[in-house]
Amino acid sequence: MALLIKTPIQMRFSDADSFGHVNNVAQQMYFDLGKTDLFKELWRLTAAAEQVPAIIASLNTEFYEQIFYGEELMVETFIEKVGHKSLTLVQRLKSGERLCTLSRTVMVCYDKQRGQSVAVPKEWIPYVGE
């Protein structure tokens, strides 16, 4: 039962430059909104995982199409794979059906109190895939 989260984006005036292009920093913030929605849903679906946050270890973003101020945008987020202590997220920023930006993020489950990585909750594994 794969989990695909779709997050509609509310574009802000400050997200675009004087040419009307949405800048790459704003796009990373859109991806953060998608990550937030994904983890909220994981925590809702698996009460055992509620106390397990994840931190970014690696981030790779590919920009395919320009985005202009005023376009309706959606971030799609899903877990591509799970390791012992990490998971890889794939996120697509789309305008309609047009893929504008693709991001892969490796996240490590982390115990803040102990200051160390921890195992990915086994309850998350059924939600891997698109």
Side-chain angles (χ1 to χ4, degrees):
M1 120 181 72
L3 182 62
L4 175 66
I5 300 297
K6 294 184 177 187
T7 304
I9 299 301
Q10 181 180 355
M11 193 180 295
R12 299 168 303 186
F13 181 77
S14 63
D15 292 347
D17 61 20
S18 60
F19 297 106
H21 299 112
V22 174
N23 71 50
N24 58 354
V25 174
Q27 292 181 47
Q28 292 303 321
M29 289 188 275
Y30 301 162
F31 288 134
D32 285 347
L33 293 170
K35 289 178 187 75
T36 299
D37 285 352
L38 175 86
F39 283 104
K40 279 184 188 177
E41 187 64 6
L42 277 175
W43 295 337
R44 186 188 72 74
L45 292 168
T46 61
E50 192 166 343
Q51 299 301 315
V52 181
I55 58 175
I56 295 174
S58 172
L59 179 68
N60 179 33
T61 303
E62 299 174 27
F63 300 92
Y64 297 116
E65 298 277 339
Q66 295 181 68
I67 301 171
F68 294 94
Y69 184 78
E71 290 187 51
E72 289 189 25
L73 300 175
M74 177 81 65
V75 171
E76 298 176 343
T77 305
F78 65 93
I79 302 170
E80 182 179 46
K81 63 182 178 180
V82 172
H84 178 65
K85 294 183 177 183
S86 67
L87 56 153
T88 302
L89 303 183
V90 171
Q91 295 184 281
R92 297 181 290 240
L93 181 56
K94 297 174 89 175
S95 178
E97 291 302 311
R98 183 172 59 97
L99 175 62
C100 301
T101 310
L102 178 72
S103 183
R104 271 195 176 73
T105 306
V106 176
M107 301 194 77
V108 176
C109 291
Y110 190 77
D111 182 325
K112 183 179 175 182
Q113 288 183 323
R114 294 187 307 183
Q116 64 187 41
S117 59
V118 296
V120 173
K122 65 182 183 308
E123 295 86 358
W124 291 3
I125 293 172
Y127 299 102
V128 174
E130 183 176 3

